[in-house]
Structures are given as structure tokens and as C-alpha cells.
Amino acid sequence: MSGWEGFSLGETRRWRHAGFDRVEASAWREAGVLDPGDARLWRTAGAAPRTVVVWQRAGMTPGEAVRWHELGVAPHDAARRHLCGERARRVSWFAKAPDMPEGPIRHLLRAGVPADVARAYADAGWDGAAGEQWAARRVDPGDARLFAALGFTAAEAAALGREAVALVMDWWGAVPVGEVAAWCAAGLTPAEAAAQRARGVTAEQAAVLRALNG
């Protein structure tokens, strides 16, 4: 069809049937989304070709992204919650009622955490004791969960001053995910850490530098 250079006749028909013009279809293909059905799901979830990488690098499928969107969760928050192993599902008020967050809130308030921060941590499902160091440093509760899953301490995460998902994206492919905290807290950039690993430096040696920095 005229104007669809670079697409086969069958591809053109599928993308057009899914509601995309050539410019949109090209953008999705450049973002690595080759199936127009997947592109339509990503679009429904609120993703765009320039932002879909956030969801993809979290290991999320288009269907999962749609479910997070239906729950009203923003893309970055959904990505970090997915990375922490949480899956999008609706929980009824009655199911949550036995575990209402008054306990965690009281614990955090006694620790000197402001009420709005304490409420945010309780709403995010944090135990008061587990969240105390993170909340005291005003780390976003969603970011805190992902930082903790990566092995960062609250002090290290606060010193970074970055969103957890952005940090994961920077380190993606440089070192194994389980080593990110050791290399990052040792003061190395992703490129430097990858180079050190290539020279035979281990994560355990990076952990020594991390301890010295701490």
C-alpha cells in the first residue's frame, strides 16, 4: 500500500487493522515491538514507543502492563513493583481489613517519621520496623522496595538520590542484577563495573570497596 515503505503487504494490513498509521507502526517497530496486537496493548496501558522500554526491562508482558494500568498504577511504579515480584491483582477491602495499617503507622510516628510519609509506607504494605530506616530518609516506598530487593541499604539508596527504576535501567546488562548494589555502592559506574568484571574482579571484591565507602 502506498506510503508503507519497509512493510510487507501483510504487515501493512495488520498494523492498519490494529489502528496504527505508518509513522506509529514504524516507531513501535523501532522500539522492538513487532506485533501490532502487542503494540495496541502497550498503548492501552499508557505506554508509548519512547517509554515502553521501562516496562520491557522490568520483564513485563503487554497483558501485565494493561492490568497494572487498570489498577491505576503509574508505569514507573508498576515496573518497580513488578521487579520486586509483585503481580497486578485486585484485593477487596474485606480481604485487606484484618491487616489495616495502624500498627506500622504508629511505629513510624514513634520513630519521628512525618505522618504523610508513615501513611505512604503503611499503604505500600511496609512493616513498621522494616520501613523505619527507609522512611526516615524519605525514600519513596516503592523505590525503597526495589532498592531493598537489589540489596541496597537505606543509607546507600538515599545517597544515590535517584529513582530505583532509572538506576536499574542504567545498570541493565552491565553486571548481573544481584551484583548491582555491590558495584554501585563501591562507587563505580556501570561501564567501570563491567570493565572490572571483564578483568576478573569479583563482586566480593567490590563488596570490600563498598564496606570501605560505608
Side-chain angles (χ1 to χ4, degrees), residues 29-192:
R29 291 209 310 184
E30 290 173 6
V33 181
L34 306 181
D35 184 278
D38 285 346
R40 185 163 55 183
L41 286 173
W42 285 122
R43 186 172 63 180
T44 299
R50 67 181 182 281
T51 61
V52 71
V53 66
V54 174
W55 306 79
Q56 291 171 322
R57 288 189 173 178
M60 207 179 302
T61 67
E64 289 169 329
V66 169
R67 287 193 288 276
W68 281 112
H69 177 71
E70 289 173 343
L71 293 175
V73 180
H76 273 74
D77 196 26
R80 62 193 178 193
R81 289 168 68 174
H82 185 90
L83 281 166
C84 290
E86 187 178 347
R87 296 298 174 259
R89 61 186 184 278
R90 296 187 183 279
V91 180
S92 71
W93 185 90
F94 293 103
K96 293 188 291 184
D99 299 311
M100 291 296 280
E102 284 83 353
I105 289 179
R106 282 200 300 268
H107 181 104
L108 294 172
L109 290 175
R110 285 197 299 270
V113 174
D116 60 330
V117 178
R119 167 60 68 179
Y121 268 79
D123 288 346
W126 278 84
D127 172 80
E132 182 177 332
Q133 292 300 313
W134 299 92
R137 290 172 170 81
R138 309 296 191 272
V139 179
D140 177 271
D143 278 343
R145 195 176 297 282
L146 180 49
F147 277 128
L150 290 171
F152 285 91
T153 67
E156 289 168 342
L160 290 172
R162 303 194 56 204
E163 289 186 344
V165 170
L167 180 132
V168 170
M169 291 178 66
D170 284 350
W171 282 83
W172 195 267
V175 300
V177 172
E179 297 181 12
V180 169
W183 291 103
C184 183
L188 279 72
T189 66
E192 291 168 342

